[in-house]
Amino acid sequence: MRDSRRFIQRLKENINQIIELAKRNKVYLVSTLLKDTRRILKQITQEIMLRHDIPASFKKETFNQISFCKEIFPILEQLINEQFDLIMNLLILLEKTGFISEVRDFLSKMLKKAERNKYMLARLVMYAYDMGYYDLAVIGMEKLKNLYGSEANLIYNLALAYYMIGKTNKANELVEALLKRGYYFAYGLAIAVNIARANLKKANEASKRFLI
């Protein structure tokens, strides 16, 4: 990355300004700073963290140099209602940059807070799912199931999430419920779930139905 020190210094200045504005209760002024922060993090991610020709030691050093980014997470909590998409894009970049535990903690906390906001809860679940945090997605989707009932696509995605975290019996229970309701698109997942459960007979039966 060209002149990485300059970019990291700019990133630090942005974070400091965002924190200062939040302290002064002027969070409505931080949108431009967040967008510039996103731009810098995207460059760091693309030009350092995701490149295979960059030594791991240099990536670790870069992560240590930008450790101050941890300080922005409490501010993002304050802004999520007003800047949801921008903040979620920032989270994706922060995770790719190395702030994995911080991003997980943030999503977990937001999923708990969003219980009464169906729209926010659904969007958080979508991001958690797409980012591969299937255990968190399960928590959110169980809440959505309580709110919306057994909508087929929701149950299918919940079953898939359970399968991805190794809870194959629970996944099978949900898949069987879908098949009983006539949602035959679930046969593909039934094959994978039953193979994981070492029930090859049921996997073979599902395979035959899936190919019809």
Side-chain angles (χ1 to χ4, degrees), residues 64-95:
N64 290 335
Q65 289 176 348
I66 63 172
S67 60
F68 54 80
C69 287
K70 292 180 182 180
E71 299 172 19
I72 200 176
F73 284 92
I75 314 302
L76 298 182
E77 290 180 26
Q78 297 178 41
L79 299 171
I80 193 165
N81 289 320
E82 293 78 20
Q83 301 282 347
F84 184 87
D85 289 320
L86 177 55
I87 286 173
M88 297 311 295
N89 287 337
L90 272 172
L91 285 182
I92 292 170
L93 292 169
L94 285 163
E95 188 217 25

Side-chain angles (χ1 to χ4, degrees), residues 27 106 115 118 126 139 153 172:
V27 291
F106 182 91
E115 287 186 19
K118 298 178 184 179
M126 180 189 72
I139 294 171
N153 287 330
N172 182 64

Side-chain angles (χ1 to χ4, degrees), residues 186-200:
Y187 272 117
L189 182 55
I191 298 169
V193 168
N194 282 296
I195 289 175
R197 295 173 68 233
N199 191 333
L200 299 184

Side-chain angles (χ1 to χ4, degrees), residues 1-207:
M1 182 177 181
R2 295 178 182 177
D3 199 5
S4 59
R5 291 182 181 178
R6 182 171 62 85
F7 278 96
I8 290 172
Q9 181 59 36
R10 177 69 174 271
L11 181 62
K12 186 172 182 59
E13 290 171 358
N14 282 358
I15 300 294
N16 288 339
Q17 287 184 64
I18 290 169
I19 293 171
E20 183 59 31
L21 286 169
K23 287 179 180 178
R24 293 160 54 191
N25 203 28
K26 294 184 177 181
V27 291
Y28 55 89
L29 296 175
V30 305
S31 179
T32 300
L33 290 168
L34 285 173
K35 289 177 182 177
D36 192 49
T37 298
R38 178 181 60 183
R39 180 184 61 81
I40 297 170
L41 284 171
K42 186 174 182 179
Q43 284 187 279
I44 292 173
T45 300
Q46 292 179 341
E47 298 184 33
I48 297 177
M49 297 303 184
L50 297 183
R51 282 181 53 175
H52 299 295
D53 58 334
I54 300 292
S57 58
F58 185 76
K59 293 180 181 180
K60 184 176 181 180
E61 180 184 347
T62 301
F63 174 72
N64 290 335
Q65 289 176 348
I66 63 172
S67 60
F68 54 80
C69 287
K70 292 180 182 180
E71 299 172 19
I72 200 176
F73 284 92
I75 314 302
L76 298 182
E77 290 180 26
Q78 297 178 41
L79 299 171
I80 193 165
N81 289 320
E82 293 78 20
Q83 301 282 347
F84 184 87
D85 289 320
L86 177 55
I87 286 173
M88 297 311 295
N89 287 337
L90 272 172
L91 285 182
I92 292 170
L93 292 169
L94 285 163
E95 188 217 25
K96 290 178 179 178
T97 311
F99 297 93
I100 298 171
S101 61
E102 289 82 5
V103 170
R104 277 188 58 89
D105 289 345
F106 182 91
L107 287 172
S108 178
K109 191 179 295 185
M110 291 302 100
L111 282 166
K112 291 177 182 176
K113 286 186 176 182
E115 287 186 19
R116 296 180 183 178
N117 187 331
K118 298 178 184 179
Y119 179 67
M120 177 73 75
L121 181 58
R123 296 184 78 194
L124 284 166
V125 166
M126 180 189 72
Y127 273 98
Y129 202 96
D130 289 345
M131 293 170 75
Y133 296 124
Y134 298 110
D135 55 333
L136 297 182
V138 161
I139 294 171
M141 282 190 283
E142 284 288 2
K143 292 179 180 179
L144 288 173
K145 183 161 70 78
N146 291 332
L147 292 169
Y148 291 109
S150 301
E151 196 275 327
N153 287 330
L154 173 60
I155 298 303
Y156 180 87
N157 287 325
L158 180 57
L160 179 56
Y162 272 121
Y163 167 73
M164 295 300 290
I165 63 175
K167 294 189 176 182
T168 52
N169 288 335
K170 185 64 178 177
N172 182 64
E173 177 186 321
L174 294 171
V175 168
E176 288 292 327
L178 285 174
L179 294 176
K180 286 179 181 178
R181 291 165 60 190
Y183 293 107
Y184 299 129
F185 62 81
Y187 272 117
L189 182 55
I191 298 169
V193 168
N194 282 296
I195 289 175
R197 295 173 68 233
N199 191 333
L200 299 184
K201 180 179 178 181
K202 288 197 71 173
N204 187 49
E205 291 173 357
S207 178

